[in-house]
Amino acid sequence: MTLRFLAHASFQIITDSGIKIVIDPWLDQNPLAPIKSKDISADYIILSHAHADHCADAVKIADQKSTFIAVAELASYFQEAGHHTHAMQIGGAFDFEFGRVKLVSAQHGSMTADGKYGGLAAGIVLTIDNITIYHMGDTGIFGDLKLIGDMHKIDYLLIPIGGNYTMDPEDAALAASWIKPRFAIPMHYNSFPLIKQDPARFADLCSTHGIKVKIMQPGELITL
Ligand code: NI
Ligand code: MN
């Protein structure tokens, strides 16, 4: 499978059988995103929470066959707009045709751009072909991240480091030391001035904990 960092918290996964998954698409209004919504399609769109910098382009990417996966409150928002949805809730997991999705806690808010309550903000633990990717969504640091790390063998940790709305590099490096992924990939930084950070600083802090960091450039693709 391939994992492409689109920008900010947006990622695209294409499985070996060709199933296309997009997580938290926000591309068209993000100057750092080289790939725009018109350039991609998705069989599944997984959303961590309702904020515009995670959902803004979901409807643009979706076609009639796309399925939205999110907590029930956010799923129903897209269902009312006419989309296929699969509602879940924190702590629940489901085996989809491409692999397993489990939603886990994130400490963050969730409201849609037009002011609707989006339910609880979530992290997304995705297991495809025995590789586990944990997209943390937007979150501050909290103790149960240790539990999530103990319960799942994380290969790739997609972790916010931008500060202000989420963990900063210091908190993120500490959280990564608890979760112990094979690789940590920083996200949710530099898209706007409030979250300006140096990912190399996150990598340095992680190295003191023995955690390897892959800094991905927007548009960059890796084969897992
Ligand atoms: Ni947010
Ligand atoms: Mn965000």
Side-chain angles (χ1 to χ4, degrees), residues 8-9 24 48-49 51-54 108 137-138 165-166 188 192 195:
H8 197 59
D24 283 4
S48 67
H49 67 292
H51 289 154
D53 62 314
H54 299 257
H108 196 68
D138 281 358
Y165 301 107
T166 70
H188 209 276
F192 38 89
I195 59 171

Side-chain angles (χ1 to χ4, degrees), residues 189-211:
Y189 64 94
N190 287 359
S191 307
F192 38 89
L194 265 177
I195 59 171
K196 190 166 166 46
Q197 297 290 349
D198 179 3
R201 174 163 167 65
F202 170 67
D204 286 346
L205 291 163
C206 279
S207 72
T208 67
H209 297 293
I211 304 290

Side-chain angles (χ1 to χ4, degrees), residues 11 134-137 157-162 167 171-173 175-176 179 184-189 202:
F11 288 83
Y134 174 16
H135 185 296
M136 298 183 76
L157 178 67
L158 316 181
I159 182 166
I161 67 160
M167 297 184 283
D171 286 6
I179 297 165
I185 297 173
M187 66 171 182
H188 209 276
Y189 64 94
F202 170 67

Side-chain angles (χ1 to χ4, degrees), residues 23 46-48 69-71 86 88-96 98-106 121-128 132-137 144 147-154:
I23 304 173
I46 311 178
L47 302 169
S48 67
I69 302 171
V71 295
H86 183 112
M88 299 180 66
Q89 205 43 272
I90 306 289
F94 185 80
D95 291 309
F96 292 86
F98 57 83
R100 187 172 180 83
V101 174
K102 183 173 184 181
L103 297 184
V104 297
S105 290
I124 302 155
V125 179
L126 254 175
T127 304
I128 301 170
T132 298
I133 298 166
Y134 174 16
H135 185 296
M136 298 183 76
D144 279 358
L147 177 66
I148 295 168
D150 287 346
M151 289 174 68
H152 308 88
K153 196 181 132 310
I154 306 299

